[in-house]
């Protein structure tokens, strides 16, 4: 039921958690929640020292806690930057699957799991409900790595390299991430992607001459050779774009006249939205998403781009691959060219 104000309470598993034989581990449960967004929240926490300290576990429906101190005269109690359930989740029960593999090897006698709820001084909603909680493990790597996000490249006039990145949610079991590409419906060639942080991999398709159709997909392989791809069904299904050329037309008449950031579509959206923008000349481009406190949550684009009409896709996740809660978000385009600098912001609404 509805929790009291100014509360900090937890439901803790009494028995120890034994992951000593596991190669990977997970926590699953059914849940629903309605919690004051950005102020209150519920966390799934694991302790390996008999409750002296606790670490949060995130999943697809958690988002990074925000600092709301001073808003409306009241400060929220969310741990900043750590995974938390908040906002309106679902009136229907929803399956949660959290990766607990980073706690492998912990002493089973001193290992504990808990659900912890924190509330501020006012405005409490229905709260967080959980049922059928299971702590599971695999003694061999049986969980496929999950690829959360891969950009959908658009047709371009650019003949230089085309950057592709991938966010992998289950990095603890990932052995290899490859970018596959083909030219004009030919055979696919593989490029191993470089790991740049705990979740993100990057690589690039070599630049191609005008008139080329490029198809591509991303494949992740875990330590037991299980494979997942984006898009699903690759190589029979893949993303593609064209390197265009214009015949008998002055190229300048095809280019935008001004830097412009357009309204995203659809809006409101769930689970993804398209953001279009226009560059009258080549520029270093950053397209970023912020919450209403001005905290940067997600970087959608961050590279040099040619003049033209561009489109990017945002999947409602932060830079760690965590789902963000329903709410209003700000997206900003920054473009720096040799002749000028440009910034524009717009609002969009995510509805879970």
């Amino acid at each position: 039921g509805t929790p009291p104000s100014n509360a900090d309470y937890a439901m803790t598993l009494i028995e120890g958690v034994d992951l000593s034989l596991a190669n990977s581990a997970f926590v699953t449960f059914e849940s629903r929640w309605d919690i004051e967004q950005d102020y209150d929240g519920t966390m799934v926490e694991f302790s390996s020292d008999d409750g002296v300290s606790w670490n949060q576990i995130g999943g697809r429906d958690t988002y990074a806690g925000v600092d709301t101190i001073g808003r409306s005269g009241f400060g929220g109690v969310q741990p900043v930057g750590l995974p938390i359930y908040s906002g309106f989740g679902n009136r229907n029960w929803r399956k949660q699957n959290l990766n607990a593999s980073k706690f492998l090897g912990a002493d089973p006698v001193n290992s504990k799991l808990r659900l912890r709820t924190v509330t501020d001084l006012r405005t409490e909603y229905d709260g967080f409900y959980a049922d059928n909680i299971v702590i599971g493990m695999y003694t061999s790597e049986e969980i496929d790595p999950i690829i959360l996000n891969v950009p959908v490249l658009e047709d371009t006039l650019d003949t230089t390299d085309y950057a592709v990145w991938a966010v992998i949610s289950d990095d603890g079991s990932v052995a290899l991430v490859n970018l596959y590409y083909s030219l004009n419906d030919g055979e696919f060639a593989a490029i191993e992607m470089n790991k740049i942080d705990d979740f993100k991999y990057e690589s690039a398709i070599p630049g191609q001459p005008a008139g080329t159709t490029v198809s591509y997909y991303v494949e992740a392989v875990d330590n037991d050779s299980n494979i997942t791809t984006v898009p699903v069904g690759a190589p029979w299904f893949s993303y593609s774009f064209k390197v265009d050329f214009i015949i008998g037309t002055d190229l300048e008449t095809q280019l935008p006249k001004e830097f412009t950031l357009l309204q995203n579509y659809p809006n409101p959206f769930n689970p993804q939205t398209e953001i279009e923008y226009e560059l009258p000349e080549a520029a270093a481009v950053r397209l970023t998403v912020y919450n209403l406190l001005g905290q940067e949550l997600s970087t959608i684009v961050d590279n040099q781009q040619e003049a033209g009409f561009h489109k990017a896709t945002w999947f409602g996740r932060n830079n760690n691959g965590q789902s963000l809660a329903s709410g209003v978000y700000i997206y900003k385009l920054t473009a720096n060219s040799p002749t000028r600098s440009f910034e524009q912001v717009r609002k969009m609404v995510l509805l879970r």
Side-chain angles (χ1 to χ4, degrees), residues 141-209:
E141 287 294 345
E142 301 173 24
I143 303 177
D144 292 350
I146 302 171
I147 306 174
L148 293 176
N149 203 345
V150 172
V152 179
L153 301 182
E154 59 188 285
D155 293 350
T156 180
L157 299 174
D158 192 1
T159 57
T160 59
D161 291 356
Y162 315 107
V164 177
W165 46 263
V167 176
I168 311 292
S169 70
D170 190 19
D171 184 68
S173 68
V174 173
L176 181 68
V177 180
N178 280 330
L179 167 64
Y180 286 84
Y181 75 97
S182 75
L183 307 177
N184 298 323
D185 296 324
E187 295 294 323
F188 279 94
I191 303 174
E192 184 173 348
M193 302 187 77
N194 299 314
K195 184 177 180 179
I196 62 171
D197 61 31
D198 286 344
F199 298 95
K200 194 171 184 179
Y201 292 73
E202 282 188 346
S203 188
I205 299 170
Q208 300 298 323

Side-chain angles (χ1 to χ4, degrees), residues 57-115:
I57 308 174
R60 67 174 184 176
D61 290 324
T62 60
Y63 72 97
V66 299
D67 181 4
T68 53
I69 298 297
R71 184 194 289 182
S72 303
F74 290 87
V77 291
Q78 293 189 354
V80 178
L82 298 179
I84 193 166
Y85 290 94
S86 189
F88 173 67
N90 202 319
R91 288 191 174 89
N92 298 316
W93 292 94
R94 183 178 175 94
K95 183 70 173 287
Q96 303 295 310
N97 192 334
L98 312 183
N99 184 0
S101 294
K102 64 181 178 181
F103 303 111
L104 299 179
D107 179 4
V109 175
N110 295 316
S111 297
K112 296 185 180 299
L113 181 79
R114 73 179 184 182
L115 294 176

